Amino acid sequence: MQSEELSTKREYLRPTSLLDYESQPVQNLVNAQKWRMLTSDSEKINVIYTFVRDRIAYGQPEHPCVPASEVLSAGMGNALTKTTLVTALLRAVGIPCRLRASKIEKSLFQGLLHGLSYRMCPSQLLHCHPEVLFNHRWLSLEGVIIDYTYLEQLQEKYSDYMGSFYGYGIAVLHFRNPPINWEEDHTYIQDRAVTKDLGIFSDPDALFKAFPDAETWSHSLPYRFSIKPQMNRAILKLRKR
C-alpha cells in the first residue's frame, strides 16, 4: 500500500471529540452487534448504514454539535447528527469515512413547517452527509438521513404521486423508488435541495469549527420554541398515521 493511501486511511479512521467511537456506549453497540466479525467491507457498511438509517429516527435534535454517543442515546437525528453517528460507527470497524458539506434550501421542509415557523427558518441551512471509501471510490451515503418507516408513511400519504418530490425532509427525483439502499453505490434522499457544495471535511469537529452558525442557530429562540417542536410534531404525526 502506498504511503499516501496509508496516510489517507489514518486521517479518515481516527477518533475525534465528536467521533467518540472509543466511548463505552458505542463500543457496547459494536460488540453486541458483532459488526467487526463480518468478513467483507460491503457487509459492514450495509449493516451500519441500515442501522443508523432506520434505528435512528429522522427528527430535529436539540443541538447538531454533539458526539456520536449522544446521537445514539437520543435515538433521533437529522443530516448533521446522523452523519456524525454513521461516520463514527464505520470508523470503529475500520472503514474510512469522511463528510461532504453543503448548503440546502429550506423548501426541503415544506409540509413540516408552516406559517411563521417557515418564515423564521433561514433560507439556506448547513447540510452534510457521510462519504465512505469502498473499492477505491468515495461513495455518498446521504440516504442514511430518513428512516424507512417515515418514508413509507410519506409514500402512503401520497400514494398516487410519481416522479420528483420536494418537501417533508425529502428532495429526490424518484419518489417511489429513491436510491436509499446500500448497493455498493451512492445513496441519496435530500440531494435535490442542495444549492452549494462546501467541500470535504475529515470529521464533524472540523465542520462545526468552520461553520459555527449551525450550533449557534440551535440555541436561538425561533429554533428552540417554534421550528424544532413544529417539525418534530409533524414528523411524529406522519410516522404514526
Side-chain angles (χ1 to χ4, degrees), residues 7-27:
S7 177
T8 297
K9 281 185 172 290
R10 282 196 296 269
E11 179 181 1
Y12 297 123
L13 284 172
R14 64 186 179 88
T16 68
S17 293
L18 298 184
L19 300 178
D20 63 339
Y21 65 75
E22 295 176 333
S23 66
Q24 202 61 55
V26 176
Q27 287 297 309

Side-chain angles (χ1 to χ4, degrees), residues 126-146:
L126 182 65
H127 179 67
C128 73
H129 67 265
E131 290 187 341
V132 64
L133 184 60
F134 179 75
N135 283 349
H136 308 289
R137 297 172 63 207
W138 284 104
L139 300 176
S140 296
L141 298 181
E142 203 225 31
V144 77
I145 300 165
I146 302 294

Side-chain angles (χ1 to χ4, degrees), residues 54-164:
D54 296 337
R55 298 282 290 274
I56 306 299
Y58 174 58
Q60 297 304 309
E62 291 291 326
H63 305 291
C65 187
V66 294
S69 58
E70 291 188 24
V71 183
L72 181 62
S73 176
M76 181 184 75
N78 62 2
L80 300 174
T81 58
K82 292 184 79 167
T83 292
T84 295
L85 179 57
V86 78
T87 301
L89 291 174
L90 286 169
R91 291 190 185 193
V93 300
I95 306 293
C97 197
R98 67 187 189 186
L99 284 66
R100 180 171 291 277
S102 57
K103 287 288 186 178
I104 202 162
E105 58 188 11
K106 73 173 182 180
S107 60
L108 175 73
F109 302 123
Q110 293 180 77
L112 299 178
L113 285 177
H114 308 278
L116 182 60
S117 293
Y118 186 80
R119 292 195 295 274
M120 288 190 299
C121 185
S123 60
Q124 303 285 315
L125 298 159
L126 182 65
H127 179 67
C128 73
H129 67 265
E131 290 187 341
V132 64
L133 184 60
F134 179 75
N135 283 349
H136 308 289
R137 297 172 63 207
W138 284 104
L139 300 176
S140 296
L141 298 181
E142 203 225 31
V144 77
I145 300 165
I146 302 294
D147 61 277
Y148 193 69
T149 298
Y150 176 79
L151 175 61
E152 277 190 316
Q153 291 300 314
L154 187 60
Q155 289 174 329
E156 184 179 315
K157 178 179 174 68
Y158 293 97
S159 58
D160 296 328
Y161 196 90
M162 304 291 288
S164 61

